[in-house]
Amino acid sequence: MKQQNNVVVEVGQRFPITAHKIGINGEGIGYFQHKVTFVPGLLPEEVAVVEATQVTDRYIRAKIHKLRQTSPQRATDVPEISNKVGGLEFAHLKYPDQLVYKNDLIKQALEKFKPRGYEHYQILPPIGADNPWHYRNKAQFPIEQLADGTLISGLYQPNTQTLVDLPEMPTQSELTLSVVRRLLPILTELQMPIYDAKTNSGIIKAVAVRESQLRHQAQLTFITNSKKMPHKQPLLTLIAEKIPEVTGIFQNLNQSKQGLFWGDETWKLAGADYLEEQLGDLKFLLSPRAFLQLNLAQTEKLYQVVTKFLAPQPDDQLLDAYAGVGTIGLSLASKVHSVVGIEEIPDAVADARQNAKHNQITNAIYYTGKVESKLPKLQAEGNYFSAVVVDPPRVGLADSLIQTLLSAIPEKIVYISCNESTLARDLTKLTKAYQVEKIQMVDMFPETARVEAVVQLKLR
């Protein structure tokens, strides 16, 4: 291994490599003269001539120049767009094999962090999607004006500010894409001022389109650099005429030059306040910024696993941490004594309360705040939770929340994770008092390297 730092490779240089495994971002990992090399699109046991795109002291990044030996796991009908934008990191891999690798990513994370008893965890066979394409019920696409005045809308090439126009995106629902495609000619006709990041001028930066599969309707939000909306009336009239599926139109102000998509302020321009969607037996009202899983069919399977792992009892007092718009807690409300949800985004809390009312659920209450600060206050007031569901963002659980849970000692916890690394890290702390009974991977994001796992934890 001494040779590692003596490896002299330059960007643009080509060399042969064999991939040995898949990394957490879906790239093939191999070694060139003992130096770790990451190659997107390369599968284990495949041999390729690759071209170096980045060289550091510790690793090389490269792209495939020519495949010399292909894996039987390689998909034959790979969408052409998959090497140009993110979100299709596994499109070159046959779908059943994607599931095997995702389960393996959970095992790799557990081996790295080594939570108590990890060698004996029961990792169940993964639950795949019936259709691994066209599942994303929301599109968030920047818009750009080319030098000749043409408008394009789509996603950025990975690690660049180069926007790729996407008339097709094989993981998006047809309606979300169709709304964007019909909107661009309207913006062109009205000569709407499109934002230009280089000069920080113009108004319309991006659009967000959310679909309701229940109603076959859409909600459209313009992300803008200013509160102004020139030609507002003709714009709303043309949308109503040409895109009748759009039932609510909103504007969100985002003057940040950072990469954040949403700004803090959203208001309605026309139409309905909410979009209605169904999950299981319940119907949910969604405002533009409300969080809802992007894959509805898989969310229903995910919630079935959560219910099974939680084994809710009529006397359970359930805490729904990171409650969002209340989908998880409300889906369990009829099976428990009471539900308390905590969520830090005020809009989401308003939606959760609205959704409880909309479904005539009277035993669920929602609070605004960070879970780690609100939970101790609720405990101090004499609240005890026998069951807890946590569904944190990718960064995982705050340390202070883990400490609070360890002092509150609910009998059972179900942890829903969208990041296997932070999950394994958090389990090292939670397993001081809890035993991991089962882990179930539910594939929420087919064709990507993203992993969603549900963990059943019981008090030792």
Side-chain angles (χ1 to χ4, degrees):
M1 286 289 185
K2 283 181 185 165
Q3 288 169 279
Q4 180 158 336
N5 294 331
N6 302 334
V7 179
V8 180
V9 176
E10 292 179 355
V11 170
Q13 185 176 331
R14 290 177 185 159
F15 51 89
I17 202 159
T18 302
H20 298 294
K21 63 175 188 175
I22 283 184
I24 56 171
N25 299 312
E27 68 283 76
I29 299 179
Y31 292 87
F32 179 60
Q33 296 178 9
H34 302 298
K35 195 166 196 174
V36 67
T37 303
F38 299 99
V39 187
L42 199 61
L43 296 174
E45 310 314 317
E46 288 191 328
V47 181
V49 175
V50 300
E51 184 179 306
T53 55
Q54 184 191 6
V55 180
T56 75
D57 290 344
R58 291 180 19 249
Y59 60 84
I60 301 168
R61 289 194 190 281
K63 62 181 181 185
I64 297 171
H65 171 64
K66 190 177 185 186
L67 269 175
R68 281 188 176 164
Q69 189 178 312
T70 58
S71 162
Q73 296 178 332
R74 180 167 284 278
T76 47
D77 48 352
V78 186
E80 207 180 303
I81 197 79
S82 66
N83 56 2
K84 291 183 186 154
V85 294
L88 293 164
E89 294 82 6
F90 269 175
H92 59 292
L93 181 58
K94 288 178 181 170
Y95 187 61
D97 295 306
Q98 291 183 26
L99 300 175
V100 174
Y101 278 112
K102 289 190 187 192
N103 243 17
D104 194 53
L105 287 171
I106 297 171
K107 290 172 193 164
Q108 284 181 42
L110 293 171
E111 281 162 15
K112 181 182 172 187
F113 286 94
K114 300 181 169 47
R116 183 176 172 182
Y118 75 95
E119 309 94 330
H120 309 296
Y121 291 174
Q122 189 183 354
I123 300 177
L124 300 171
I127 296 176
D130 299 333
N131 178 10
W133 302 103
H134 298 296
Y135 59 83
R136 294 179 73 98
N137 58 23
K138 190 178 189 183
Q140 297 191 164
F141 286 177
I143 297 179
E144 208 172 272
Q145 189 157 30
L146 301 179
D148 66 358
T150 307
L151 295 190
I152 62 170
S153 183
L155 297 171
Y156 291 111
Q157 276 182 16
N159 310 314
T160 73
Q161 283 301 298
T162 307
L163 193 65
V164 178
D165 195 34
L166 290 181
E168 288 292 315
M169 179 63 182
T171 50
Q172 279 294 150
S173 79
E174 270 100 350
L175 180 60
T176 56
L177 276 178
S178 160
V179 169
V180 175
R181 287 296 123 197
R182 283 179 281 166
L183 180 65
L184 294 180
I186 294 173
L187 300 181
T188 306
E189 183 185 329
L190 296 174
Q191 297 184 327
M192 298 295 285
I194 304 302
Y195 179 71
D196 181 343
K198 292 187 189 78
T199 56
N200 193 29
S201 61
I203 292 178
I204 295 175
K205 285 182 158 184
V207 287
V209 181
R210 194 205 295 269
E211 172 193 15
S212 157
Q213 290 172 11
L214 172 69
R215 305 271 178 229
H216 196 68
Q217 291 171 341
Q219 187 179 60
L220 170 65
T221 306
F222 290 98
I223 314 297
T224 60
N225 188 42
S226 154
K227 284 196 167 184
K228 291 179 191 159
M229 184 57 92
H231 317 301
K232 184 166 94 174
Q233 220 35 63
L235 175 67
L236 299 176
T237 304
L238 280 171
I239 291 171
E241 199 179 291
K242 312 255 186 192
I243 323 175
E245 298 95 330
V246 171
T247 56
I249 305 171
F250 297 79
Q251 186 173 348
N252 172 272
L253 178 67
N254 180 4
Q255 293 174 313
S256 150
K257 290 178 193 159
Q258 268 52 54
L260 298 171
F261 189 86
W262 293 91
D264 291 335
E265 209 182 332
T266 308
W267 59 95
K268 186 173 76 170
L269 299 177
D273 292 344
Y274 297 100
L275 196 64
E276 190 181 42
E277 189 52 282
Q278 183 159 351
L279 259 178
D281 301 330
L282 304 182
K283 292 194 173 89
F284 291 94
L285 298 174
L286 304 166
S287 63
R289 288 200 63 190
F291 173 77
L292 180 74
Q293 293 279 11
L294 291 170
N295 188 333
L296 225 52
Q298 290 299 92
T299 302
E300 298 209 339
K301 294 180 190 175
L302 181 83
Y303 287 6
Q304 284 164 11
V305 173
V306 170
T307 306
K308 194 170 157 191
F309 280 11
L310 194 72
Q313 301 302 311
D315 58 348
D316 272 333
Q317 306 209 28
L318 173 67
L319 173 70
D320 180 7
Y322 306 93
V325 298
T327 49
I328 295 175
L330 295 175
S331 70
L332 291 161
S334 64
K335 301 174 175 68
V336 296
H337 177 267
S338 62
V339 175
V340 171
I342 306 174
E343 167 58 54
E344 67 175 302
I345 299 171
D347 286 8
V349 176
D351 284 357
R353 290 171 180 159
Q354 181 79 24
N355 284 323
K357 199 184 291 179
H358 192 57
N359 289 287
Q360 296 166 332
I361 292 168
T362 53
N363 63 336
I365 185 165
Y366 288 89
Y367 296 106
T368 309
K370 279 187 173 1
V371 188
E372 54 270 29
S373 37
K374 188 70 192 168
L375 178 56
K377 288 176 188 160
L378 289 170
Q379 285 177 277
E381 289 162 14
N383 291 285
Y384 168 72
F385 299 102
S386 54
V388 175
V389 174
V390 289
D391 185 5
R394 287 184 66 75
V395 292
L397 299 175
D399 240 358
S400 51
L401 174 58
I402 293 176
Q403 294 315 316
T404 305
L405 287 173
L406 291 175
S407 63
I409 54 169
E411 289 150 43
K412 48 196 178 179
I413 299 175
V414 171
Y415 186 152
I416 304 164
S417 166
C418 56
N419 182 336
E420 68 279 10
S421 296
T422 54
L423 169 66
R425 179 203 68 196
D426 292 347
L427 289 179
T428 58
K429 297 163 194 159
L430 289 168
T431 48
K432 287 172 187 163
Y434 288 85
Q435 186 168 315
V436 172
E437 298 282 324
K438 294 189 185 89
I439 299 179
Q440 174 74 71
M441 200 284 283
V442 180
D443 191 23
M444 301 294 284
F445 305 101
E447 315 307 328
T448 78
R450 292 272 300 277
V451 171
E452 192 96 9
V454 187
V455 184
Q456 182 182 39
L457 293 144
K458 290 210 173 138
L459 200 57
R460 286 184 187 281

